[in-house]
């Protein structure tokens, strides 16, 4: 029985996993940041401090698992907000030390990729994965559950961050992605044309130009239809993501592609990617909707692979914000 903790950003999550099934999963999404357009790091850490002990007890209770049943303890180690990471990482190491159990620190982006295993469908390697979150927009060549290579990343904002920022500009709450998605459903995606960004390296991303284009369109036209603006902007952003992912698949001769992370919860993006991939005869793996945004189940699955291969983490280790 593995206990996993996720506190990388603003979600406090605890999971119990037996190597095959999620036995319990307690998730608290912090709501205090909603009206601030983004996460306030100090507040996020404090919320984790307050919520985490109870979340661990609740996960044990729901699973009807005792402390004696635990065999391994895992936690997100980074990247993320350092203060937030420290809460979960230190809590997990303290349990491991007190119970004399192995500890496994998990890379947050590897965990997002591991969320694919929670779909219940067979997963075949290798594949190219797009990790699209509030902090990262990274393309990886995933060789097996324990090995992935970075092939491109954003040069400025992450796509989720860009969604959160434009949402804040037009008065929508944080997180902006779901709010924009809802508004865009009533809009015309062809109302405005936004240029596709260019980067020096073919598999890198850039969202700053698209963000500025959104702001100019909004400021120059005070009576603009917000649903049309959001629908058109989403269309441009998602066309860009899908195209990059497919280009990478072609270049790396991959027959399989994957989409994970909070932005992968977007239905339009899922549809667009599935359609394009089908046309090109590629197999698509989508993170299950319940596990796109931060959660502890993905930490558990990623940790399990490390556990089986004996890749334990020293208790004398610190979390990291970047990398
Ligand atoms: O993976 P995640 O929960 O946290 C990080 O690791 O950053 O991703 C959060 C991001 C936020 O930027 C949020 O706006 C975005 O995922 N997001 C969405 C949707 N749901 C969450 N973006 C677009 N459409 C959604 N439905
Ligand atoms: Zn994440």
């Amino acid at each position: 029985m593995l206990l996993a903790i996720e506190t990388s950003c603003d979600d406090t999550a605890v999971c119990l996993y037996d190597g095959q099934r999620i036995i319990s999963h307690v998730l608290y999404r912090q709501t205090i940041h909603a009206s601030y357009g983004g996460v306030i790091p100090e507040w996020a850490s404090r919320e984790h401090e307050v919520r985490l002990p109870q979340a661990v007890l609740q996960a044990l209770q729901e699973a009807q698992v005792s402390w004696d049943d635990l065999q391994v303890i895992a936690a997100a180690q980074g990247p993320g907000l350092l203060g937030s990471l420290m809460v979960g990482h230190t809590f997990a190491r303290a349990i491991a030390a007190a119970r004399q159990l192995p500890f496994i620190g998990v890379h947050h982006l590897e965990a997002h990729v591991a969320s694919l295993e929670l779909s219940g469908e067979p997963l075949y390697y290798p594949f190219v994965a797009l990790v699209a979150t509030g902090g990262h927009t990274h393309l990886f060549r995933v060789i097996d559950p324990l090995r992935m290579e970075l092939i491109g990343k954003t040069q400025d904002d992450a796509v989720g961050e860009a969604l959160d920022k434009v949402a804040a500009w037009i008065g929508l709450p944080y997180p902006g992605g779901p709010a924009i998605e809802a508004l865009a459903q009533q809009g015309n995606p062809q109302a405005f044309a936004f240029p596709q960004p260019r980067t020096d390296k073919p598999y890198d991303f850039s969202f700053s130009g698209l963000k500025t284009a959104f702001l100019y369109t909004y400021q120059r036209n005070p009576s603009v239809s917000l649903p049309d603006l959001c629908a058109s902007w989403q269309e441009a952003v998602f066309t860009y993501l899908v195209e990059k992912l497919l280009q990478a698949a072609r270049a790396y001769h991959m027959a399989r592609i994957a989409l994970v992370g909070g932005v992968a919860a977007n239905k339009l993006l899922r549809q667009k990617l599935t359609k394009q991939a089908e046309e090109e005869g590629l197999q698509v793996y989508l993170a299950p909707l319940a596990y796109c945004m931060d959660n502890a189940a993905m930490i558990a699955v990623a940790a399990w692979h490390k556990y089986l291969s004996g890749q334990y983490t020293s208790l004398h280790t610190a979390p990291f914000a970047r990398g």
Side-chain angles (χ1 to χ4, degrees):
M1 188 65 65
L2 179 147
L3 175 91
I5 295 178
E6 158 62 41
T7 62
S8 302
C9 188
D10 59 338
D11 300 305
T12 314
V14 180
C15 174
L16 282 163
Y17 181 62
D18 68 359
Q20 288 181 336
R21 283 182 317 125
I22 303 298
I23 312 297
S24 65
H25 187 224
V26 175
L27 172 66
Y28 170 65
R29 297 211 188 278
Q30 301 178 2
T31 50
I32 48 168
H33 313 284
S35 51
Y36 292 87
V39 177
I40 316 276
E42 294 266 322
W43 292 9
S45 320
R46 201 179 54 203
E47 282 275 285
H48 289 309
E49 282 281 352
V50 173
R51 298 277 178 167
L52 184 56
Q54 183 54 37
V56 170
L57 293 176
Q58 192 182 331
L60 289 168
Q61 196 184 23
E62 283 178 13
Q64 300 202 321
V65 160
S66 80
W67 291 102
D68 290 338
D69 297 324
L70 298 181
Q71 286 156 304
V72 52
I73 312 295
Q77 186 158 352
L81 298 174
L82 199 55
S84 287
L85 285 161
M86 280 166 71
V87 178
H89 193 260
T90 300
F91 202 92
R93 281 180 302 144
I95 298 173
R99 308 290 311 176
Q100 299 197 309
L101 296 173
F103 168 69
I104 296 175
V106 174
H107 193 285
H108 184 78
L109 301 186
E110 288 179 12
H112 271 298
V113 173
S115 74
L116 294 167
E117 294 179 47
L118 294 161
S119 73
E121 304 292 323
L123 187 63
Y124 298 102
Y125 298 83
F127 53 85
V128 178
L130 172 62
V131 183
T133 74
H136 298 85
T137 304
H138 281 30
L139 273 172
F140 289 103
R141 190 163 77 94
V142 183
I143 300 150
D144 62 39
L146 290 165
R147 280 186 301 163
M148 52 191 229
E149 279 171 16
L150 184 67
I151 57 181
K153 63 177 181 171
T154 183
Q155 295 172 348
D156 38 59
D157 283 9
V159 60
E161 188 181 2
L163 283 159
D164 295 338
K165 283 183 184 161
V166 302
W169 289 336
I170 59 171
L172 297 177
Y174 173 84
I180 299 249
E181 177 176 30
L183 200 57
Q185 271 161 12
Q186 302 139 40
N188 172 10
Q190 313 305 334
F192 300 96
F194 291 105
Q196 292 286 292
R198 293 192 183 282
T199 48
D200 291 340
K201 292 193 196 150
Y203 308 113
D204 278 355
F205 297 87
S206 168
F207 296 96
S208 60
L210 277 166
K211 243 177 29 187
T212 311
F214 180 103
L215 189 61
Y216 282 171
T217 312
Y218 178 56
Q219 286 177 336
R220 283 187 191 144
N221 185 359
S223 59
V224 67
S225 151
L226 291 179
D228 283 356
L229 179 58
C230 289
S232 304
W233 197 73
Q234 257 202 167
E235 182 69 22
V237 170
F238 294 159
T239 300
Y240 180 51
L241 291 181
V242 168
E243 193 42 47
K244 281 271 164 160
L245 179 49
L246 290 171
Q247 271 173 19
R250 284 178 216 123
Y252 285 83
H253 306 292
M254 293 281 170
R256 308 176 194 100
I257 55 173
L259 174 68
V260 301
V263 180
N266 190 287
K267 295 197 184 59
L268 176 71
L269 177 57
R270 295 171 84 89
Q271 281 163 7
K272 266 180 151 335
L273 185 63
T274 306
K275 186 165 170 286
Q276 278 295 123
E278 268 170 15
E279 280 171 17
E280 301 205 14
L282 298 172
Q283 165 126 34
V284 191
Y285 299 132
L286 299 172
L289 276 178
Y291 300 114
C292 287
M293 292 185 66
D294 287 348
N295 63 84
M298 67 184 196
I299 302 293
V301 175
W304 192 261
H305 288 291
K306 291 186 146 198
Y307 175 55
L308 293 182
S309 66
Q311 292 183 30
Y312 303 160
T313 309
S314 159
L315 292 180
H316 306 278
T317 184
F320 55 91
R322 289 168 198 281

